[in-house]
């Protein structure tokens, strides 16, 4: 978990393995859609879904805000 600009974000090193991806995405299932669901990893592949936005860690660190 990371906090930037007063917002909370989930960070995982990599979700390239199926089991890891499923575990990390499951963390969002208890959140309602009023909260932004952002997954931050070192992966180059875009793991975004219709409800979860994937951001590369290096891009996240350079951003002022989402």
């Amino acid at each position: 978990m990371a906090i930037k600009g007063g917002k909370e974000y989930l960070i995982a090193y990599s979700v390239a393995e199926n089991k890891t991806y499923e575990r990390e995405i499951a963390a969002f299932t208890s959140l309602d859609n009023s909260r932004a669901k952002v997954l931050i990893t070192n992966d180059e592949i875009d793991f975004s879904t219709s409800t979860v936005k994937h951001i590369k860690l290096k891009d996240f660190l350079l951003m002022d805000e989402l």
Side-chain angles (χ1 to χ4, degrees):
M1 204 55 135
I3 298 175
K4 185 173 188 176
K7 296 179 183 176
E8 296 178 349
Y9 300 95
L10 175 65
I11 297 179
Y13 182 75
S14 175
V15 293
E17 291 185 20
N18 206 26
K19 192 174 185 178
T20 307
Y21 173 81
E22 290 173 10
R23 181 188 66 228
E24 299 302 330
I25 292 298
F28 294 113
T29 58
S30 64
L31 300 177
D32 62 36
N33 288 332
S34 67
R35 296 182 66 181
K37 300 173 184 180
V38 180
L39 176 66
I40 302 163
T41 74
N42 277 327
D43 298 312
E44 291 298 320
I45 299 169
D46 185 1
F47 287 99
S48 296
T49 69
S50 61
T51 58
V52 177
K53 181 177 181 178
H54 176 241
I55 298 175
K56 295 174 192 165
L57 179 60
K58 63 182 177 184
D59 296 335
F60 174 75
L61 294 172
L62 296 172
M63 292 176 157
D64 290 329
E65 256 186 71
L66 289 178

Short mmCIF file of all heavy atoms in Angstrom, two decimals:
data_model
loop_
_atom_site.label_atom_id
_atom_site.label_comp_id
_atom_site.label_asym_id
_atom_site.label_seq_id
_atom_site.Cartn_x
_atom_site.Cartn_y
_atom_site.Cartn_z
N MET A 1 0.84 -1.16 0.00
CA MET A 1 0.00 0.00 0.00
C MET A 1 0.90 1.24 0.00
O MET A 1 1.90 1.28 0.69
CB MET A 1 -0.85 -0.05 1.26
CG MET A 1 -2.13 0.69 1.23
SD MET A 1 -3.20 0.25 -0.10
CE MET A 1 -4.70 0.14 0.74
N ALA A 2 0.51 2.24 -0.77
CA ALA A 2 1.23 3.51 -0.80
C ALA A 2 0.21 4.63 -0.71
O ALA A 2 -0.93 4.48 -1.14
CB ALA A 2 2.03 3.65 -2.09
N ILE A 3 0.63 5.73 -0.14
CA ILE A 3 -0.23 6.91 -0.07
C ILE A 3 0.48 8.04 -0.80
O ILE A 3 1.64 8.34 -0.52
CB ILE A 3 -0.53 7.31 1.38
CG1 ILE A 3 -1.28 6.17 2.09
CG2 ILE A 3 -1.33 8.60 1.43
CD1 ILE A 3 -1.53 6.42 3.56
N LYS A 4 -0.22 8.63 -1.74
CA LYS A 4 0.33 9.75 -2.51
C LYS A 4 -0.81 10.75 -2.73
O LYS A 4 -1.88 10.38 -3.19
CB LYS A 4 0.87 9.24 -3.85
CG LYS A 4 1.56 10.31 -4.67
CD LYS A 4 2.22 9.69 -5.89
CE LYS A 4 3.06 10.72 -6.58
NZ LYS A 4 3.78 10.15 -7.71
N GLY A 5 -0.56 11.98 -2.40
CA GLY A 5 -1.60 13.00 -2.56
C GLY A 5 -2.83 12.72 -1.74
O GLY A 5 -3.94 13.05 -2.13
N GLY A 6 -2.68 12.05 -0.59
CA GLY A 6 -3.80 11.73 0.28
C GLY A 6 -4.64 10.55 -0.19
O GLY A 6 -5.65 10.24 0.41
N LYS A 7 -4.22 9.88 -1.27
CA LYS A 7 -4.96 8.73 -1.80
C LYS A 7 -4.15 7.46 -1.57
O LYS A 7 -2.93 7.49 -1.57
CB LYS A 7 -5.23 8.90 -3.29
CG LYS A 7 -6.12 10.08 -3.60
CD LYS A 7 -6.33 10.22 -5.08
CE LYS A 7 -7.15 11.45 -5.41
NZ LYS A 7 -7.29 11.64 -6.85
N GLU A 8 -4.86 6.34 -1.37
CA GLU A 8 -4.21 5.05 -1.15
C GLU A 8 -4.11 4.27 -2.45
O GLU A 8 -5.04 4.27 -3.26
CB GLU A 8 -5.00 4.22 -0.14
CG GLU A 8 -5.04 4.83 1.24
CD GLU A 8 -5.87 4.01 2.20
OE1 GLU A 8 -6.58 3.09 1.76
OE2 GLU A 8 -5.80 4.30 3.40
N TYR A 9 -2.98 3.58 -2.64
CA TYR A 9 -2.75 2.78 -3.83
C TYR A 9 -2.17 1.42 -3.45
O TYR A 9 -1.39 1.32 -2.50
CB TYR A 9 -1.76 3.48 -4.77
CG TYR A 9 -2.24 4.83 -5.24
CD1 TYR A 9 -1.85 5.99 -4.59
CD2 TYR A 9 -3.11 4.93 -6.31
CE1 TYR A 9 -2.30 7.22 -5.01
CE2 TYR A 9 -3.58 6.17 -6.73
CZ TYR A 9 -3.16 7.31 -6.08
OH TYR A 9 -3.62 8.53 -6.50
N LEU A 10 -2.56 0.39 -4.19
CA LEU A 10 -2.02 -0.94 -4.00
C LEU A 10 -0.82 -1.12 -4.91
O LEU A 10 -0.91 -0.85 -6.11
CB LEU A 10 -3.09 -1.99 -4.34
CG LEU A 10 -2.65 -3.44 -4.31
CD1 LEU A 10 -2.25 -3.85 -2.89
CD2 LEU A 10 -3.76 -4.34 -4.82
N ILE A 11 0.30 -1.55 -4.35
CA ILE A 11 1.50 -1.76 -5.16
C ILE A 11 1.92 -3.22 -5.04
O ILE A 11 2.00 -3.76 -3.93
CB ILE A 11 2.66 -0.86 -4.70
CG1 ILE A 11 2.28 0.60 -4.89
CG2 ILE A 11 3.94 -1.18 -5.46
CD1 ILE A 11 3.34 1.58 -4.44
N ALA A 12 2.19 -3.85 -6.16
CA ALA A 12 2.72 -5.21 -6.20
C ALA A 12 3.93 -5.19 -7.12
O ALA A 12 3.93 -4.50 -8.13
CB ALA A 12 1.67 -6.18 -6.74
N TYR A 13 4.98 -5.95 -6.78
CA TYR A 13 6.18 -5.93 -7.61
C TYR A 13 5.88 -6.43 -9.02
O TYR A 13 6.26 -5.82 -10.00
CB TYR A 13 7.29 -6.77 -6.97
CG TYR A 13 8.56 -6.72 -7.78
CD1 TYR A 13 9.36 -5.59 -7.76
CD2 TYR A 13 8.93 -7.77 -8.60
CE1 TYR A 13 10.50 -5.51 -8.52
CE2 TYR A 13 10.07 -7.70 -9.37
CZ TYR A 13 10.86 -6.57 -9.33
OH TYR A 13 11.97 -6.49 -10.09
N SER A 14 5.18 -7.54 -9.11
CA SER A 14 4.83 -8.11 -10.41
C SER A 14 3.58 -8.95 -10.27
O SER A 14 3.39 -9.62 -9.27
CB SER A 14 5.97 -8.98 -10.94
OG SER A 14 5.58 -9.63 -12.14
N VAL A 15 2.74 -8.92 -11.29
CA VAL A 15 1.55 -9.78 -11.31
C VAL A 15 1.55 -10.64 -12.57
O VAL A 15 0.52 -11.11 -13.01
CB VAL A 15 0.24 -8.97 -11.19
CG1 VAL A 15 0.13 -8.32 -9.84
CG2 VAL A 15 0.11 -7.95 -12.31
N ALA A 16 2.74 -10.84 -13.14
CA ALA A 16 2.85 -11.59 -14.39
C ALA A 16 2.44 -13.06 -14.22
O ALA A 16 1.94 -13.67 -15.16
CB ALA A 16 4.26 -11.50 -14.94
N GLU A 17 2.65 -13.62 -13.03
CA GLU A 17 2.21 -14.99 -12.80
C GLU A 17 0.72 -14.99 -12.48
O GLU A 17 0.24 -14.14 -11.73
CB GLU A 17 2.99 -15.61 -11.65
CG GLU A 17 4.44 -15.85 -11.98
CD GLU A 17 5.17 -16.58 -10.87
OE1 GLU A 17 4.51 -17.22 -10.03
OE2 GLU A 17 6.39 -16.49 -10.84
N ASN A 18 0.01 -15.93 -13.04
CA ASN A 18 -1.45 -15.99 -12.91
C ASN A 18 -1.91 -15.99 -11.45
O ASN A 18 -2.84 -15.27 -11.08
CB ASN A 18 -1.99 -17.20 -13.66
CG ASN A 18 -3.41 -17.02 -14.10
OD1 ASN A 18 -3.86 -15.90 -14.30
ND2 ASN A 18 -4.12 -18.11 -14.26
N LYS A 19 -1.27 -16.79 -10.61
CA LYS A 19 -1.66 -16.89 -9.21
C LYS A 19 -1.48 -15.54 -8.49
O LYS A 19 -2.33 -15.13 -7.71
CB LYS A 19 -0.80 -17.97 -8.53
CG LYS A 19 -1.26 -18.38 -7.18
CD LYS A 19 -0.42 -19.56 -6.69
CE LYS A 19 -0.93 -20.08 -5.38
NZ LYS A 19 -0.17 -21.24 -4.92
N THR A 20 -0.40 -14.86 -8.78
CA THR A 20 -0.15 -13.54 -8.18
C THR A 20 -1.16 -12.52 -8.67
O THR A 20 -1.70 -11.73 -7.90
CB THR A 20 1.28 -13.06 -8.50
OG1 THR A 20 2.20 -14.08 -8.11
CG2 THR A 20 1.60 -11.78 -7.78
N TYR A 21 -1.44 -12.53 -9.97
CA TYR A 21 -2.44 -11.62 -10.55
C TYR A 21 -3.79 -11.80 -9.86
O TYR A 21 -4.41 -10.83 -9.44
CB TYR A 21 -2.56 -11.87 -12.05
CG TYR A 21 -3.68 -11.09 -12.69
CD1 TYR A 21 -3.50 -9.76 -13.04
CD2 TYR A 21 -4.91 -11.68 -12.94
CE1 TYR A 21 -4.54 -9.03 -13.62
CE2 TYR A 21 -5.94 -10.96 -13.51
CZ TYR A 21 -5.75 -9.64 -13.85
OH TYR A 21 -6.78 -8.93 -14.41
N GLU A 22 -4.23 -13.04 -9.74
CA GLU A 22 -5.53 -13.32 -9.12
C GLU A 22 -5.57 -12.84 -7.66
O GLU A 22 -6.56 -12.27 -7.22
CB GLU A 22 -5.85 -14.80 -9.20
CG GLU A 22 -6.15 -15.26 -10.62
CD GLU A 22 -6.31 -16.76 -10.74
OE1 GLU A 22 -6.38 -17.46 -9.71
OE2 GLU A 22 -6.39 -17.24 -11.89
N ARG A 23 -4.48 -13.04 -6.93
CA ARG A 23 -4.42 -12.62 -5.53
C ARG A 23 -4.51 -11.09 -5.42
O ARG A 23 -5.26 -10.56 -4.61
CB ARG A 23 -3.13 -13.11 -4.89
CG ARG A 23 -3.01 -12.72 -3.41
CD ARG A 23 -1.65 -13.04 -2.82
NE ARG A 23 -0.64 -12.20 -3.46
CZ ARG A 23 0.52 -12.66 -3.93
NH1 ARG A 23 0.83 -13.93 -3.87
NH2 ARG A 23 1.39 -11.83 -4.49
N GLU A 24 -3.76 -10.39 -6.25
CA GLU A 24 -3.74 -8.93 -6.18
C GLU A 24 -5.06 -8.32 -6.65
O GLU A 24 -5.55 -7.37 -6.05
CB GLU A 24 -2.56 -8.36 -6.96
CG GLU A 24 -1.21 -8.80 -6.45
CD GLU A 24 -0.95 -8.44 -5.00
OE1 GLU A 24 -1.48 -7.43 -4.51
OE2 GLU A 24 -0.20 -9.19 -4.34
N ILE A 25 -5.64 -8.84 -7.70
CA ILE A 25 -6.93 -8.33 -8.19
C ILE A 25 -8.04 -8.61 -7.18
O ILE A 25 -8.96 -7.81 -7.01
CB ILE A 25 -7.25 -8.93 -9.59
CG1 ILE A 25 -6.27 -8.39 -10.63
CG2 ILE A 25 -8.68 -8.65 -9.99
CD1 ILE A 25 -6.30 -6.88 -10.84
N ALA A 26 -7.94 -9.72 -6.46
CA ALA A 26 -8.95 -10.07 -5.46
C ALA A 26 -9.02 -9.01 -4.36
O ALA A 26 -10.07 -8.82 -3.74
CB ALA A 26 -8.65 -11.44 -4.86
N ALA A 27 -7.92 -8.30 -4.13
CA ALA A 27 -7.91 -7.25 -3.10
C ALA A 27 -8.90 -6.14 -3.42
O ALA A 27 -9.35 -5.41 -2.53
CB ALA A 27 -6.50 -6.67 -2.96
N PHE A 28 -9.28 -6.01 -4.68
CA PHE A 28 -10.21 -4.95 -5.09
C PHE A 28 -11.67 -5.37 -4.99
O PHE A 28 -12.55 -4.52 -5.08
CB PHE A 28 -9.92 -4.53 -6.53
CG PHE A 28 -8.59 -3.86 -6.70
CD1 PHE A 28 -7.59 -4.47 -7.43
CD2 PHE A 28 -8.32 -2.63 -6.13
CE1 PHE A 28 -6.36 -3.88 -7.61
CE2 PHE A 28 -7.09 -2.02 -6.29
CZ PHE A 28 -6.11 -2.64 -7.03
N THR A 29 -11.95 -6.64 -4.82
CA THR A 29 -13.34 -7.11 -4.86
C THR A 29 -14.20 -6.56 -3.75
O THR A 29 -15.40 -6.39 -3.92
CB THR A 29 -13.41 -8.65 -4.85
OG1 THR A 29 -12.75 -9.14 -3.68
CG2 THR A 29 -12.78 -9.25 -6.08
N SER A 30 -13.59 -6.24 -2.60
CA SER A 30 -14.39 -5.71 -1.50
C SER A 30 -14.62 -4.20 -1.60
O SER A 30 -15.38 -3.64 -0.83
CB SER A 30 -13.71 -6.04 -0.16
OG SER A 30 -12.46 -5.39 -0.07
N LEU A 31 -13.97 -3.55 -2.56
CA LEU A 31 -14.13 -2.11 -2.73
C LEU A 31 -15.30 -1.81 -3.67
O LEU A 31 -15.44 -2.46 -4.70
CB LEU A 31 -12.86 -1.49 -3.32
CG LEU A 31 -11.58 -1.64 -2.52
CD1 LEU A 31 -10.42 -1.03 -3.29
CD2 LEU A 31 -11.72 -0.98 -1.16
N ASP A 32 -16.10 -0.82 -3.31
CA ASP A 32 -17.17 -0.45 -4.23
C ASP A 32 -16.59 0.43 -5.34
O ASP A 32 -15.45 0.85 -5.29
CB ASP A 32 -18.32 0.25 -3.50
CG ASP A 32 -17.91 1.54 -2.82
OD1 ASP A 32 -17.05 2.27 -3.38
OD2 ASP A 32 -18.44 1.85 -1.75
N ASN A 33 -17.39 0.70 -6.33
CA ASN A 33 -16.91 1.44 -7.50
C ASN A 33 -16.78 2.94 -7.28
O ASN A 33 -16.39 3.66 -8.19
CB ASN A 33 -17.80 1.15 -8.71
CG ASN A 33 -17.58 -0.25 -9.24
OD1 ASN A 33 -16.49 -0.80 -9.09
ND2 ASN A 33 -18.59 -0.83 -9.83
N SER A 34 -17.07 3.41 -6.07
CA SER A 34 -16.88 4.83 -5.80
C SER A 34 -15.40 5.16 -5.55
O SER A 34 -15.02 6.31 -5.56
CB SER A 34 -17.72 5.28 -4.60
OG SER A 34 -17.24 4.68 -3.41
N ARG A 35 -14.59 4.12 -5.32
CA ARG A 35 -13.16 4.31 -5.09
C ARG A 35 -12.39 3.90 -6.34
O ARG A 35 -12.72 2.90 -6.97
CB ARG A 35 -12.68 3.47 -3.91
CG ARG A 35 -13.33 3.91 -2.61
CD ARG A 35 -12.85 3.12 -1.45
NE ARG A 35 -11.43 3.39 -1.22
CZ ARG A 35 -10.73 2.81 -0.27
NH1 ARG A 35 -11.30 1.94 0.53
NH2 ARG A 35 -9.45 3.09 -0.11
N ALA A 36 -11.37 4.65 -6.68
CA ALA A 36 -10.52 4.28 -7.82
C ALA A 36 -9.73 3.03 -7.46
O ALA A 36 -9.25 2.89 -6.34
CB ALA A 36 -9.56 5.42 -8.14
N LYS A 37 -9.65 2.11 -8.39
CA LYS A 37 -8.91 0.87 -8.20
C LYS A 37 -7.69 0.93 -9.10
O LYS A 37 -7.80 0.82 -10.32
CB LYS A 37 -9.80 -0.32 -8.52
CG LYS A 37 -11.04 -0.38 -7.65
CD LYS A 37 -11.98 -1.46 -8.08
CE LYS A 37 -13.25 -1.42 -7.26
NZ LYS A 37 -14.20 -2.45 -7.65
N VAL A 38 -6.52 1.11 -8.48
CA VAL A 38 -5.28 1.29 -9.23
C VAL A 38 -4.27 0.26 -8.76
O VAL A 38 -3.98 0.16 -7.57
CB VAL A 38 -4.71 2.71 -9.03
CG1 VAL A 38 -3.43 2.89 -9.82
CG2 VAL A 38 -5.74 3.76 -9.44
N LEU A 39 -3.73 -0.51 -9.69
CA LEU A 39 -2.70 -1.50 -9.42
C LEU A 39 -1.39 -0.98 -9.99
O LEU A 39 -1.32 -0.60 -11.15
CB LEU A 39 -3.06 -2.84 -10.07
CG LEU A 39 -2.04 -3.95 -9.95
CD1 LEU A 39 -1.88 -4.38 -8.49
CD2 LEU A 39 -2.45 -5.13 -10.80
N ILE A 40 -0.36 -0.94 -9.17
CA ILE A 40 0.93 -0.39 -9.58
C ILE A 40 1.96 -1.52 -9.51
O ILE A 40 2.13 -2.13 -8.46
CB ILE A 40 1.34 0.77 -8.67
CG1 ILE A 40 0.26 1.85 -8.70
CG2 ILE A 40 2.70 1.32 -9.08
CD1 ILE A 40 0.33 2.82 -7.57
N THR A 41 2.64 -1.79 -10.64
CA THR A 41 3.64 -2.87 -10.68
C THR A 41 4.83 -2.45 -11.55
O THR A 41 4.79 -1.44 -12.24
CB THR A 41 3.07 -4.18 -11.28
OG1 THR A 41 2.92 -4.03 -12.69
CG2 THR A 41 1.74 -4.57 -10.65
N ASN A 42 5.84 -3.29 -11.55
CA ASN A 42 7.00 -3.12 -12.43
C ASN A 42 6.77 -3.77 -13.79
O ASN A 42 7.64 -3.72 -14.66
CB ASN A 42 8.26 -3.72 -11.80
CG ASN A 42 8.91 -2.77 -10.83
OD1 ASN A 42 8.87 -1.56 -11.02
ND2 ASN A 42 9.52 -3.30 -9.81
N ASP A 43 5.65 -4.42 -13.99
CA ASP A 43 5.37 -5.13 -15.23
C ASP A 43 5.22 -4.18 -16.41
O ASP A 43 4.63 -3.11 -16.29
CB ASP A 43 4.08 -5.96 -15.10
CG ASP A 43 4.19 -7.04 -14.04
OD1 ASP A 43 5.20 -7.76 -14.04
OD2 ASP A 43 3.26 -7.15 -13.22
N GLU A 44 5.75 -4.58 -17.55
CA GLU A 44 5.61 -3.79 -18.78
C GLU A 44 4.26 -4.05 -19.46
O GLU A 44 3.75 -3.21 -20.18
CB GLU A 44 6.76 -4.09 -19.74
CG GLU A 44 8.11 -3.59 -19.25
CD GLU A 44 8.15 -2.07 -19.10
OE1 GLU A 44 7.60 -1.35 -19.95
OE2 GLU A 44 8.75 -1.60 -18.11
N ILE A 45 3.70 -5.24 -19.24
CA ILE A 45 2.40 -5.59 -19.83
C ILE A 45 1.30 -4.83 -19.08
O ILE A 45 1.35 -4.68 -17.86
CB ILE A 45 2.14 -7.11 -19.69
CG1 ILE A 45 3.22 -7.89 -20.44
CG2 ILE A 45 0.76 -7.49 -20.19
CD1 ILE A 45 3.21 -9.37 -20.16
N ASP A 46 0.31 -4.33 -19.81
CA ASP A 46 -0.80 -3.60 -19.20
C ASP A 46 -1.81 -4.59 -18.64
O ASP A 46 -2.42 -5.35 -19.39
CB ASP A 46 -1.45 -2.69 -20.23
CG ASP A 46 -2.53 -1.81 -19.64
OD1 ASP A 46 -2.78 -1.89 -18.42
OD2 ASP A 46 -3.14 -1.04 -20.39
N PHE A 47 -1.99 -4.60 -17.34
CA PHE A 47 -2.93 -5.50 -16.68
C PHE A 47 -4.23 -4.79 -16.30
O PHE A 47 -4.96 -5.26 -15.44
CB PHE A 47 -2.29 -6.13 -15.44
CG PHE A 47 -1.26 -7.18 -15.76
CD1 PHE A 47 0.08 -6.87 -15.73
CD2 PHE A 47 -1.65 -8.45 -16.10
CE1 PHE A 47 1.04 -7.82 -16.02
CE2 PHE A 47 -0.71 -9.43 -16.41
CZ PHE A 47 0.65 -9.11 -16.36
N SER A 48 -4.53 -3.69 -16.94
CA SER A 48 -5.78 -2.97 -16.66
C SER A 48 -6.98 -3.83 -17.02
O SER A 48 -6.92 -4.66 -17.94
CB SER A 48 -5.84 -1.67 -17.48
OG SER A 48 -4.83 -0.78 -17.09
N THR A 49 -8.06 -3.62 -16.27
CA THR A 49 -9.33 -4.28 -16.59
C THR A 49 -10.38 -3.18 -16.70
O THR A 49 -10.07 -2.00 -16.61
CB THR A 49 -9.74 -5.26 -15.47
OG1 THR A 49 -10.07 -4.52 -14.29
CG2 THR A 49 -8.64 -6.27 -15.17
N SER A 50 -11.63 -3.57 -16.84
CA SER A 50 -12.69 -2.56 -16.94
C SER A 50 -12.87 -1.79 -15.63
O SER A 50 -13.40 -0.69 -15.63
CB SER A 50 -14.00 -3.22 -17.35
OG SER A 50 -14.40 -4.17 -16.38
N THR A 51 -12.40 -2.35 -14.51
CA THR A 51 -12.57 -1.68 -13.22
C THR A 51 -11.26 -1.33 -12.52
O THR A 51 -11.27 -0.60 -11.53
CB THR A 51 -13.42 -2.54 -12.26
OG1 THR A 51 -12.78 -3.81 -12.09
CG2 THR A 51 -14.82 -2.73 -12.79
N VAL A 52 -10.14 -1.88 -13.00
CA VAL A 52 -8.84 -1.65 -12.36
C VAL A 52 -7.88 -1.02 -13.36
O VAL A 52 -7.70 -1.53 -14.46
CB VAL A 52 -8.24 -2.97 -11.83
CG1 VAL A 52 -6.86 -2.73 -11.23
CG2 VAL A 52 -9.16 -3.61 -10.80
N LYS A 53 -7.28 0.09 -12.96
CA LYS A 53 -6.29 0.76 -13.81
C LYS A 53 -4.90 0.30 -13.39
O LYS A 53 -4.54 0.37 -12.21
CB LYS A 53 -6.42 2.27 -13.65
CG LYS A 53 -5.45 3.05 -14.51
CD LYS A 53 -5.67 4.54 -14.36
CE LYS A 53 -4.72 5.31 -15.24
NZ LYS A 53 -4.95 6.76 -15.14
N HIS A 54 -4.11 -0.16 -14.35
CA HIS A 54 -2.74 -0.60 -14.07
C HIS A 54 -1.78 0.52 -14.47
O HIS A 54 -1.88 1.09 -15.54
CB HIS A 54 -2.42 -1.86 -14.87
CG HIS A 54 -1.00 -2.31 -14.72
ND1 HIS A 54 -0.14 -2.41 -15.77
CD2 HIS A 54 -0.29 -2.66 -13.62
CE1 HIS A 54 1.04 -2.82 -15.33
NE2 HIS A 54 0.97 -2.98 -14.04
N ILE A 55 -0.84 0.83 -13.58
CA ILE A 55 0.17 1.85 -13.84
C ILE A 55 1.54 1.26 -13.53
O ILE A 55 1.71 0.56 -12.52
CB ILE A 55 -0.06 3.10 -12.96
CG1 ILE A 55 -1.40 3.72 -13.28
CG2 ILE A 55 1.06 4.11 -13.14
CD1 ILE A 55 -1.77 4.88 -12.39
N LYS A 56 2.51 1.56 -14.37
CA LYS A 56 3.88 1.12 -14.12
C LYS A 56 4.44 1.93 -12.96
O LYS A 56 4.21 3.13 -12.84
CB LYS A 56 4.73 1.31 -15.36
CG LYS A 56 4.29 0.44 -16.51
CD LYS A 56 5.08 0.76 -17.76
CE LYS A 56 4.41 0.10 -18.94
NZ LYS A 56 4.89 0.63 -20.20
N LEU A 57 5.21 1.26 -12.09
CA LEU A 57 5.76 1.91 -10.90
C LEU A 57 6.56 3.16 -11.25
O LEU A 57 6.40 4.20 -10.61
CB LEU A 57 6.62 0.92 -10.11
CG LEU A 57 7.28 1.47 -8.85
CD1 LEU A 57 6.24 1.98 -7.86
CD2 LEU A 57 8.15 0.42 -8.21
N LYS A 58 7.40 3.08 -12.27
CA LYS A 58 8.23 4.25 -12.62
C LYS A 58 7.36 5.44 -13.01
O LYS A 58 7.67 6.58 -12.68
CB LYS A 58 9.22 3.90 -13.71
CG LYS A 58 8.61 3.49 -15.02
CD LYS A 58 9.64 3.10 -16.05
CE LYS A 58 8.93 2.64 -17.30
NZ LYS A 58 9.85 2.16 -18.30
N ASP A 59 6.25 5.19 -13.71
CA ASP A 59 5.34 6.28 -14.08
C ASP A 59 4.64 6.86 -12.86
O ASP A 59 4.47 8.07 -12.74
CB ASP A 59 4.32 5.79 -15.11
CG ASP A 59 4.94 5.36 -16.42
OD1 ASP A 59 6.05 5.86 -16.74
OD2 ASP A 59 4.35 4.54 -17.13
N PHE A 60 4.22 5.97 -11.95
CA PHE A 60 3.57 6.41 -10.72
C PHE A 60 4.47 7.32 -9.90
O PHE A 60 4.04 8.36 -9.39
CB PHE A 60 3.17 5.19 -9.89
CG PHE A 60 2.60 5.52 -8.53
CD1 PHE A 60 1.32 6.01 -8.40
CD2 PHE A 60 3.36 5.35 -7.39
CE1 PHE A 60 0.79 6.33 -7.15
CE2 PHE A 60 2.85 5.65 -6.13
CZ PHE A 60 1.56 6.14 -6.02
N LEU A 61 5.74 6.97 -9.80
CA LEU A 61 6.68 7.76 -9.01
C LEU A 61 6.91 9.14 -9.61
O LEU A 61 7.18 10.10 -8.88
CB LEU A 61 8.01 7.02 -8.87
CG LEU A 61 7.94 5.72 -8.05
CD1 LEU A 61 9.26 4.99 -8.13
CD2 LEU A 61 7.54 5.99 -6.61
N LEU A 62 6.77 9.27 -10.92
CA LEU A 62 6.98 10.55 -11.59
C LEU A 62 5.73 11.43 -11.65
O LEU A 62 5.81 12.61 -11.93
CB LEU A 62 7.52 10.32 -13.00
CG LEU A 62 8.90 9.66 -13.07
CD1 LEU A 62 9.25 9.32 -14.52
CD2 LEU A 62 9.96 10.56 -12.47
N MET A 63 4.56 10.83 -11.39
CA MET A 63 3.28 11.55 -11.47
C MET A 63 3.10 12.46 -10.27
O MET A 63 3.49 12.11 -9.16
CB MET A 63 2.11 10.59 -11.48
CG MET A 63 1.97 9.75 -12.67
SD MET A 63 0.58 8.62 -12.40
CE MET A 63 0.16 8.25 -14.06
N ASP A 64 2.47 13.60 -10.50
CA ASP A 64 2.08 14.45 -9.38
C ASP A 64 0.82 13.90 -8.72
O ASP A 64 0.71 13.82 -7.53
CB ASP A 64 1.83 15.88 -9.84
CG ASP A 64 3.12 16.58 -10.24
OD1 ASP A 64 4.18 16.26 -9.67
OD2 ASP A 64 3.07 17.43 -11.14
N GLU A 65 -0.15 13.54 -9.56
CA GLU A 65 -1.44 12.99 -9.10
C GLU A 65 -2.05 12.18 -10.20
O GLU A 65 -1.77 12.39 -11.37
CB GLU A 65 -2.40 14.11 -8.71
CG GLU A 65 -2.55 14.29 -7.25
CD GLU A 65 -3.62 15.31 -6.91
OE1 GLU A 65 -4.81 15.00 -7.11
OE2 GLU A 65 -3.25 16.38 -6.44
N LEU A 66 -2.96 11.26 -9.83
CA LEU A 66 -3.71 10.48 -10.82
C LEU A 66 -5.00 11.17 -11.16
O LEU A 66 -5.59 11.84 -10.42
CB LEU A 66 -4.00 9.08 -10.30
CG LEU A 66 -2.82 8.16 -10.20
CD1 LEU A 66 -3.24 6.82 -9.63
CD2 LEU A 66 -2.20 7.93 -11.56
#
